[in-house]
Amino acid sequence: MTGPAFDAFIYIFFALEMVVKMVALGIFGRRCYLGDTWNRLDFFIVMAGMVEYSLDLQNINLSAIRTVRVLRPLKAINRVPSMRILVNLLLDTLPMLGNVLLLCFFVFFIFGIIGVQLWAGLLRNRCYLEENFTLSSGMTLPAPYYQPEEDDERPFICSLASDNGIMSCTDVPARREGGRTCCLDREDALHRQALGLSPEPLANGSGAGEAMGLCINWNQYYTRCHTGNSNPHKGAINFDNIVYAWIVIFQVITLEGWVEIMYYVMDAHSFYNFIYFILLIII
């Protein structure tokens, strides 16, 4: 039996079962069919299937209705008494977990406030050009601030002068092109431009230039740490407000990528910020 045919057979079986129970017990009332919680779940599944098949007949595709199919295995619980007892027991214990959820929210709230107070905006720190930096016509910069090849996944986050972070703009590595470290500076480019040559020899594609690393090391001019506009991972990782702080805290306690987040904060603020993350995970 093919997949769609078997699915239709299962639906017809459930629908006939529902009709038989309704005839035998009645529909409305305390001891009738809809008076039992499990029967109401079966009724909802059958009605959703009816809507799904009616939409198929009209060539209307509504994927939200099709997702109700995943609830059909729950009908098996209604036929195993021990499973019903276990599920009912789990549902009865949910209200007792209120205090646990309140404690979890309290921990999130305290650590979120600490994160916002200490690191709001710091993960947007980037190394920009010095304020009096100018260029003549015909010369362009690779980027307004230093951007590694994997800038969104592993951005270079610097520490402001008022903080004691690990990374500073003096740690920006030299620019590399063609596997070679660039050795020219802005004055060399201006001199070549005055001679009517290309400011950057690598633009000509000369093999000798590539071998000697004759390209401008623009990275040496990204010396000013300043707060920009972009946070890591497309803006998802930051402590700019309490909501984003809760998202970061949730990711940290799942132990998924928490080390990178800790390094971001240590680079921007202080080496001793690892205490915050260790305490958060332990608590």
Side-chain angles (χ1 to χ4, degrees):
M1 187 179 294
T2 61
F6 181 75
D7 185 73
F9 171 78
I10 293 297
Y11 171 75
I12 294 173
F13 176 80
F14 287 157
L16 291 177
E17 179 195 38
M18 182 188 71
V19 172
V20 171
K21 285 186 176 181
M22 284 183 173
V23 173
L25 301 175
I27 301 177
F28 301 101
R30 187 173 182 180
R31 296 182 178 272
C32 295
Y33 179 79
L34 294 180
D36 184 76
T37 304
W38 293 102
N39 289 337
R40 288 197 293 268
L41 175 62
D42 294 347
F43 177 79
F44 172 76
I45 295 174
V46 172
M47 289 296 102
M50 184 180 298
V51 173
E52 175 187 344
Y53 284 113
S54 63
L55 292 177
D56 288 341
L57 293 176
Q58 301 177 18
N59 295 324
I60 299 176
N61 186 10
L62 192 60
S63 58
I65 298 297
R66 297 181 183 276
T67 57
V68 182
R69 292 180 179 180
V70 301
L71 298 178
R72 291 182 183 178
L74 293 179
K75 292 178 65 66
I77 299 177
N78 200 15
R79 292 165 174 77
V80 183
S82 59
M83 286 289 291
R84 292 185 61 177
I85 295 174
L86 180 60
V87 172
N88 288 331
L89 179 62
L90 291 176
L91 294 177
D92 291 339
T93 58
L94 287 180
M96 303 178 187
L97 297 177
N99 292 332
V100 178
L101 295 177
L102 183 62
L103 177 62
C104 181
F105 173 77
F106 179 76
V107 173
F108 270 50
F109 190 76
I110 295 299
F111 278 89
I113 291 178
I114 295 175
V116 172
Q117 291 295 321
L118 292 178
W119 309 313
L122 291 186
L123 298 188
R124 292 186 275 118
N125 291 349
R126 300 293 186 272
C127 291
Y128 286 81
L129 296 169
E130 50 196 22
E131 295 186 24
N132 58 351
F133 188 87
T134 57
L135 282 175
S136 61
S137 60
M139 298 175 62
T140 57
L141 287 168
Y145 59 88
Y146 172 64
Q147 298 180 6
E149 293 182 0
E150 299 178 353
D151 180 62
D152 187 63
E153 298 295 332
R154 293 183 178 273
F156 188 93
I157 301 176
C158 59
S159 175
L160 299 174
S162 57
D163 298 320
N164 297 312
I166 297 177
M167 302 301 293
S168 64
C169 292
T170 57
D171 299 315
V172 173
R175 180 189 174 201
R176 296 178 63 86
E177 290 288 345
R180 303 286 181 175
T181 302
C182 299
C183 61
L184 300 182
D185 54 21
R186 179 174 54 171
E187 285 71 22
D188 295 327
L190 293 174
H191 178 68
R192 291 182 56 87
Q193 192 177 42
L195 296 176
L197 302 175
S198 172
E200 197 160 2
L202 276 181
N204 298 330
S206 61
E210 292 184 6
M212 298 174 61
L214 293 181
C215 53
I216 306 171
N217 181 22
W218 293 116
N219 293 353
Q220 63 182 315
Y221 300 109
Y222 296 113
T223 58
R224 181 172 61 96
C225 187
H226 181 67
T227 302
N229 300 318
S230 60
N231 283 298
H233 297 272
K234 302 187 185 304
I237 304 299
N238 65 81
F239 291 88
D240 293 351
N241 56 61
I242 191 67
V243 176
Y244 275 109
W246 286 342
I247 296 175
V248 175
I249 289 172
F250 180 79
Q251 181 174 344
V252 170
I253 65 175
T254 60
L255 302 181
E256 182 67 29
W258 73 275
V259 176
E260 287 77 9
I261 299 175
M262 181 181 67
Y263 287 159
Y264 294 157
V265 176
M266 292 169 62
D267 291 342
H269 189 257
S270 174
F271 168 79
Y272 297 100
N273 289 332
F274 73 89
I275 299 175
Y276 171 93
F277 293 91
I278 298 300
L279 288 177
L280 174 61
I281 292 174
I282 294 176
I283 293 177

